[in-house]
Amino acid sequence: VESSIPEHMREAWRKYSPQGFKTKDEFEGEVVRHIETTLARSLFNCDELAAYSGTSLAFRDRLIIDWNKTQQRQTFADQKRIYYLSLEFLMGRALDNAMLNVGLKGVAKEGLEDLGFRVEDIISQEHDAALGNGGLGRLAACFLDSLASLNYPAWGYGLRYRYGIFKQEIENGYQVEIPDYWLDFNPWEFPRHDVTVDVQFYGWVNKYTDDEGKQVVSWQDGELVTATAYDAPVPGYGTPTVNNLRLWSSKASSGEFDFSKFNSGEYESAVADQQRAETISAVLYPNDNLERGKELRLKQQYFWCAASLHDIVRRFKKTGRTWDEFPDQVAIQLNDTHPTLAIVELQRILIDKEGLEWPKAWDIVTKTFGYTNHTVLPEALEKWSVPLIQNLLPRHLQLIYEINLYFLQQVERRFPKDRDLLSRVSIIEESTPKMVRMAYLAIVGSHKVNGVAELHSDLIKTTIFKDFVTVYGPDKFTNVTNGITPRRWLHQANPRLSELIASKLGGYDFLKDLTLLNKLEPFIDDKDFKKEWAEIKYANKVRLAQHILKTTGVSVNPKALFDVQVKRIHEYKRQQLNIFGVIHRYITLKGLSAEERKKVAPRVSIFGGKAAPGYWMAKTIIHLINKVGEVINNDPEIGDALKVIFLEDYNVSKAEIIVPASDISEHISTAGTEASGTSNMKFVLNGGLVIGTLDGANIEITREIGEQNIFLFGNLSEDVEDLRHHHFYGNYQVDSELQKVFDLIKSGKFGDESAFGALIAAITEHGDYYLVSDDFDSYRKTQDLIDETFKNQEEWVTKSITSVARMGFFTSDRCINEYADTIWNIEPLAVADEKEA
Ligand code: 9GP
């Protein structure tokens, strides 16, 4: 294409193509220009929001230049790309990240000062892009950062929800959900009205033989919805690579269908169609580790998969290659089972549209896809009812049945007469109604399946996917332990710590090679270094204390031990264990004399996290935390010895304040339930210690940082099943110290006790599925050990530094390289001047 453009045109283009600002003066010029022209504001009405917008547009312009070049470079290089399909991308704020990744935050800070603003105030104007629920969505965001930073040719594909995860408010101790409309002004996205895909729903399948005797399958009628692309640049750190995140937005197809309604005067129904279509990308389902089987959710999934697949195929076809080469050019990773329909869609395209034979098409499909499993919780494993799919996607249901038949025939050949095995691995569950097991479809349609931490990857092989190990052998299953990007979770969230580390390591190279952190170990006995380390933690705690005061009205002592549990509220994550522990601590403190109480290490227990709006038990936990806080925080006898805080509306930008300020964070899921967890990594990387169970990535964190640097407690995953069994059939009694906690709740100390009855009954009467009582004793004792250890600050800081020094393994750069090597088979695309940015 390029060679067909005459030299004089290219010359003119080169001469005038924008370069983006580099200096402070150029930056100021760009900001003022955008405020005056793009936003039509002036010096006299430029508030912080306008300054944020102007600054973002200036940075966006800069990114766009590199973004265009990256896309051209990747197109010309014509090498294999990775497409990451995720229904959630929890990106958080973009401006600070862009400033740091292009290395011009200092320039922006000075420039903004000239213009009368503080960079921190401007950054905090930005609304979080909250297109995700929790760990799964944030992992996708970390992966995008690593893919760009490592120069991999990569695209993210997702949905552009008009409403991200709801905003949480607490009223009278209860969670209230407020819609999060975040798109008022979003300078980080580019609508691509020229990039659209018409996606079909409903209708019927016509199979016939054409004039040439060929079997034709045609999916007819139904309704069309148009997907429009919105692109967001994803800048790499310290490299000019800027990758693309493409999010699809839905609207009614502008085809004849609608016009005919308008022409015949059916305005209302035409508008209703429009609204129905727009509903598809309207709202993010607010469930974490929970699937509810709603038709709209299935519509979202197909809409996004179909649009993405058509985009990928269109791009591939432009290269003029043959279909055999598709898997050499395209790798598609399925983030959980949500995009599993992409497997069926590619098979449909290859068979129905491109006319390939089944085996050849299926070979291409399975070589293309990889599937990451993120949970073993039964309530989170997706199943869709056959009648629902039949109605919405009739052709896909046929293909699913064919895929299943083709697969079961293979199994039958290898394991003749094993009827049980066949029914166990069948993609179709023979229930009423019949259900499609999406995880099984994802396994059958992919060449690799991975879990997200060692324990989790072992568990999927021995429990939920055991039969597939029998069928395929163990090599199809692998592990890629999760990671986090140190750019956002150290450099951006904790700039002073990052700076201190850089001063010891001679620069910021550790942000690109996190294993360099181990060079901190020799400084463990350096008094000045330790002092500065502790001072930074203290300053971060002061900042959090200010935030707590501002948002809750409660004053906390920054010298107290800050004990943090922030994550989605879920019974398996066991915030109830934490709050029961807090109540027990309160009981103990009340039993002490004033003198004795003074000797106790003061503590602030900080909670944060959203409950799915329909998850009543999780909401009850939030309610209890708030009610306990009200009592304890207002008990004059207790004073600073204990405070209990619930931080409203936990999200990525709040995490950036909370994580650097923790002394201890809690990762206390029932063993075997948390696939990985990633906030554990963020806390340790910021010098916080951890109390945790032997679950998910806690195990590998322990292996890396050493057992002496983490507070482990509780039962092991291999004992969980027996314990549960014992609850029902053995001589089971609730832990006597926990019983005291229940008695206090039941006394009405924290308000109407009936509000918490179900929480207690889950443990005392309904089998204590999450083993709260079994782990309570060792949890409490471990908390006591933490109090003791915290008194010796010298030892505490040593543990903190040692842990950070050993966290190199948990960078998402390592994960992405593992995925690239073992699953995607892709290479980075060399960039001429790495440091150009
Ligand atoms: O619950 C897991 C969490 O442990 C993990 O860290 C995260 C990223 O791998 O995925 C979560 N899973 C889900 O949200 C649903 O599968």
Side-chain angles (χ1 to χ4, degrees):
V1 180
E2 198 188 34
S3 56
S4 65
I5 299 171
E7 181 53 34
H8 72 276
M9 276 174 71
R10 279 199 261 163
E11 182 51 37
W13 207 272
R14 263 199 296 271
K15 195 160 141 198
Y16 296 114
S17 66
Q19 299 301 314
F21 69 87
K22 288 206 168 69
T23 66
K24 177 177 75 99
D25 290 349
E26 288 166 355
F27 167 74
E28 288 175 36
E30 288 296 289
V31 173
V32 170
R33 180 175 70 78
H34 273 301
I35 292 175
E36 299 227 342
T37 59
T38 320
L39 307 170
R41 305 280 284 259
S42 72
L43 171 64
F44 304 104
N45 63 359
C46 178
D47 55 13
E48 286 182 343
L49 187 59
Y52 157 74
S53 306
T55 307
S56 296
L57 291 166
F59 269 93
R60 188 185 78 167
D61 285 353
R62 232 206 93 102
L63 288 188
I64 294 318
I65 298 164
D66 283 342
W67 187 34
N68 284 335
K69 287 188 192 155
T70 304
Q71 297 314 315
Q72 280 168 21
R73 195 164 54 238
Q74 293 181 358
T75 305
F76 291 137
D78 195 25
Q79 67 186 53
K80 188 170 183 178
R81 285 193 174 100
I82 166 67
Y83 296 101
Y84 197 77
L85 265 59
S86 178
L87 257 194
E88 303 190 8
F89 287 96
L90 196 41
M91 302 297 280
R93 289 178 176 153
L95 176 59
D96 199 7
N97 189 246
M99 286 178 171
L100 289 168
N101 278 18
V102 300
L104 287 169
K105 188 167 180 181
V107 166
K109 184 173 174 344
E110 288 176 19
L112 283 167
E113 264 163 28
D114 281 353
L115 298 170
F117 297 99
R118 274 170 17 112
V119 70
E120 299 79 28
D121 299 336
I122 297 312
I123 287 168
S124 64
Q125 289 298 312
E126 185 173 350
H127 200 115
D128 274 34
L131 306 186
N133 277 286
L136 176 108
R138 184 53 231 176
L139 184 77
C142 284
F143 280 8
L144 291 185
D145 182 83
S146 286
L147 284 160
S149 300
L150 294 167
N151 301 315
Y152 284 105
W155 284 53
Y157 275 108
L159 272 186
R160 178 182 178 267
Y161 304 106
R162 232 175 319 137
Y163 296 91
I165 185 71
F166 62 86
K167 186 167 159 13
Q168 177 195 54
E169 285 183 4
I170 301 296
E171 278 177 24
N172 299 323
Y174 290 102
Q175 167 176 298
V176 177
E177 298 98 25
I178 314 285
D180 168 60
Y181 180 73
W182 69 290
L183 288 171
D184 261 347
F185 175 71
N186 177 8
W188 300 102
E189 65 174 10
F190 283 84
R192 302 281 198 195
H193 294 294
D194 55 329
V195 181
T196 59
V197 180
D198 277 344
V199 179
Q200 190 177 359
F201 293 103
Y202 307 107
W204 58 287
V205 181
N206 188 9
K207 283 192 186 178
Y208 60 93
T209 313
D210 69 8
D211 298 344
E212 287 156 24
K214 257 180 74 181
Q215 263 272 309
V216 179
V217 181
S218 152
W219 177 12
Q220 296 183 334
D221 301 337
E223 103 186 12
L224 286 182
V225 179
T226 300
T228 305
Y230 284 72
D231 289 345
V234 181
Y237 176 79
T239 166
T241 297
V242 177
N243 280 337
N244 195 24
L245 170 60
R246 176 158 286 179
L247 303 177
W248 298 104
S249 179
S250 62
K251 64 178 175 40
S253 162
S254 50
E256 286 165 41
F257 193 58
D258 288 333
F259 278 121
S260 65
K261 279 196 176 170
F262 260 90
N263 290 340
S264 61
E266 292 178 55
Y267 298 124
E268 271 182 33
S269 120
V271 172
D273 285 352
Q274 183 75 30
Q275 280 172 349
R276 203 150 47 99
E278 285 178 9
T279 305
I280 294 180
S281 63
V283 55
L284 163 80
Y285 275 89
N287 302 326
D288 182 273
N289 268 298
L290 189 74
E291 287 298 335
R292 294 277 179 168
K294 296 263 192 267
E295 184 186 55
L296 181 60
R297 169 83 166 181
L298 186 62
K299 265 190 151 175
Q300 288 188 334
Q301 294 186 349
Y302 179 63
F303 172 77
W304 149 66
C305 288
S308 308
L309 246 278
H310 284 249
D311 210 38
I312 293 167
V313 165
R314 190 160 56 191
R315 196 168 303 120
F316 170 76
K317 283 176 115 179
K318 276 200 208 154
T319 67
R321 291 169 188 267
T322 62
W323 283 110
D324 293 323
E325 295 170 283
F326 191 77
D328 303 329
Q329 288 290 299
V330 174
I332 303 178
Q333 192 64 24
L334 306 174
N335 196 25
D336 229 349
T337 51
H338 318 142
T340 304
L341 284 171
I343 289 174
V344 190
E345 180 66 1
L346 182 58
Q347 181 73 356
R348 185 179 80 88
I349 294 171
L350 295 179
I351 299 243
D352 293 356
K353 299 195 169 233
E354 302 295 333
L356 270 63
E357 295 297 323
W358 183 279
K360 180 160 180 187
W362 188 243
D363 184 51
I364 292 169
V365 169
T366 51
K367 281 182 178 152
T368 301
F369 286 96
Y371 157 50
T372 306
N373 172 278
H374 294 267
T375 186
V376 294
L377 297 188
E379 64 268 36
L381 290 175
E382 275 191 297
K383 288 177 190 173
W384 288 106
S385 98
V386 165
L388 190 65
I389 301 184
Q390 163 77 60
N391 185 39
L392 190 69
L393 303 167
R395 176 60 183 143
H396 292 77
L397 188 68
Q398 292 177 346
L399 288 166
I400 291 169
Y401 269 96
E402 281 180 59
I403 291 168
N404 197 33
L405 181 69
Y406 189 74
F407 166 62
L408 291 180
Q409 282 169 348
Q410 274 178 319
V411 179
E412 167 98 79
R413 276 197 292 277
R414 282 206 45 214
F415 304 91
K417 303 210 179 70
D418 194 342
R419 295 256 124 223
D420 280 352
L421 179 68
L422 285 181
S423 89
R424 286 203 305 276
V425 297
S426 172
I427 292 168
I428 308 294
E429 181 180 275
E430 297 295 326
S431 46
T432 317
K434 289 192 170 75
M435 304 293 274
V436 177
R437 298 156 159 163
M438 300 308 269
Y440 291 9
L441 181 54
I443 296 172
V444 173
S446 301
H447 65 287
K448 280 274 181 203
V449 178
N450 74 286
V452 289
E454 273 175 18
L455 173 69
H456 169 65
S457 297
D458 286 346
L459 281 175
I460 61 177
K461 283 198 279 185
T462 50
T463 61
I464 54 174
F465 302 148
K466 188 168 144 222
D467 291 316
F468 288 88
V469 177
T470 310
V471 170
Y472 288 113
D475 291 349
K476 180 158 179 163
F477 295 84
T478 182
N479 172 58
V480 183
T481 298
N482 281 343
I484 55 170
T485 166
R487 273 78 63 177
R488 184 174 291 258
W489 295 112
L490 178 55
H491 193 48
Q492 184 177 324
N494 204 341
R496 275 190 67 189
L497 191 65
S498 182
E499 198 183 331
L500 176 63
I501 294 171
S503 75
K504 290 294 167 201
L505 303 189
Y508 286 97
D509 287 354
F510 65 95
L511 292 173
K512 289 214 106 172
D513 175 4
L514 204 63
T515 60
L516 291 174
L517 285 179
N518 64 18
K519 300 221 156 39
L520 284 178
E521 292 221 28
F523 297 100
I524 282 164
D525 297 320
D526 177 335
K527 284 231 151 48
D528 291 342
F529 176 64
K530 283 180 95 165
K531 191 162 157 269
E532 228 178 304
W533 189 274
E535 276 169 11
I536 291 170
K537 177 62 79 182
Y538 185 72
N540 290 333
K541 289 169 71 177
V542 169
R543 183 162 81 131
L544 179 57
Q546 285 162 352
H547 176 79
I548 291 173
L549 182 62
K550 202 169 102 195
T551 54
T552 68
V554 180
S555 166
V556 300
N557 176 3
K559 294 214 169 78
L561 188 155
F562 278 19
D563 169 345
V564 181
Q565 189 175 18
V566 284
K567 47 184 86 225
R568 286 300 288 246
I569 312 291
H570 211 299
E571 284 165 283
Y572 87 83
K573 293 180 189 278
R574 297 203 296 191
Q575 284 90 353
Q576 69 275 41
L577 173 61
N578 185 345
I579 193 65
F580 292 154
V582 169
I583 298 172
H584 191 274
R585 178 175 287 262
Y586 178 58
I587 296 171
T588 311
L589 285 170
K590 291 295 273 185
L592 299 180
S593 69
E595 271 314 299
E596 286 169 323
R597 257 198 302 271
K598 278 195 194 134
K599 292 190 200 127
V600 175
R603 201 183 262 247
V604 184
S605 281
I606 300 162
F607 295 82
K610 294 173 185 175
Y615 188 176
W616 182 71
M617 205 63 139
K619 290 182 141 178
T620 305
I621 295 174
I622 293 180
H623 185 204
L624 179 62
I625 296 168
N626 280 295
K627 287 292 160 190
V628 170
E630 272 173 31
V631 171
I632 297 181
N633 299 343
N634 293 304
D635 186 332
E637 268 189 348
I638 297 297
D640 270 359
L642 182 60
K643 289 274 183 269
V644 182
I645 304 296
F646 189 91
L647 286 174
E648 237 172 34
D649 199 39
Y650 176 62
N651 60 13
V652 174
S653 55
K654 296 211 174 76
E656 288 167 29
I657 301 172
I658 297 166
V659 170
S662 106
D663 294 306
I664 272 283
S665 62
E666 310 225 4
H667 309 277
I668 58 176
S669 48
T670 312
T673 60
E674 187 72 275
S676 162
T678 42
S679 73
N680 41 9
M681 302 168 191
K682 294 166 199 166
F683 281 101
V684 180
L685 188 61
N686 281 276
L689 305 189
V690 157
I691 175 168
T693 43
L694 281 124
D695 199 18
N698 291 352
I699 297 173
E700 285 146 272
I701 292 177
T702 308
R703 184 190 70 202
E704 293 294 310
I705 70 176
E707 231 171 323
Q708 68 287 6
N709 296 315
I710 186 164
F711 298 94
L712 294 174
F713 75 97
N715 283 283
L716 304 181
S717 70
E718 56 256 45
D719 299 325
V720 167
E721 216 175 297
D722 284 351
L723 286 164
R724 283 182 182 152
H725 187 266
H726 176 72
H727 292 172
F728 279 105
Y729 302 107
N731 174 21
Y732 168 67
Q733 272 193 325
V734 171
D735 178 281
S736 57
E737 293 301 308
L738 184 58
Q739 190 57 52
K740 290 185 193 163
V741 171
F742 293 163
D743 292 344
L744 190 63
I745 296 173
K746 284 182 182 161
S747 76
K749 177 79 188 169
F750 307 109
D752 179 10
E753 80 281 12
S754 67
F756 310 116
L759 211 50
I760 296 174
I763 294 161
T764 55
E765 289 166 41
H766 304 308
D768 190 11
Y769 188 75
Y770 297 102
L771 312 187
V772 173
S773 176
D774 301 87
D775 284 348
F776 192 68
D777 184 57
S778 82
Y779 177 68
R780 248 178 1 87
K781 289 184 175 142
T782 308
Q783 288 287 14
D784 292 345
L785 178 63
I786 288 169
D787 286 330
E788 278 314 301
T789 315
F790 192 66
K791 283 183 190 158
N792 182 347
Q793 273 299 300
E794 184 69 27
E795 188 191 335
W796 190 274
V797 176
T798 301
K799 286 181 191 298
S800 164
I801 299 172
T802 314
S803 304
V804 173
R806 298 177 182 175
M807 281 299 284
F809 180 75
F810 297 100
T811 167
S812 44
D813 294 351
R814 187 261 318 147
C815 309
I816 288 302
N817 283 327
E818 279 183 25
Y819 276 100
D821 284 353
T822 63
I823 301 178
W824 303 333
N825 193 22
I826 62 164
E827 299 284 338
L829 177 56
V831 179
D833 182 4
E834 262 282 298
K835 290 283 174 191
E836 188 197 297

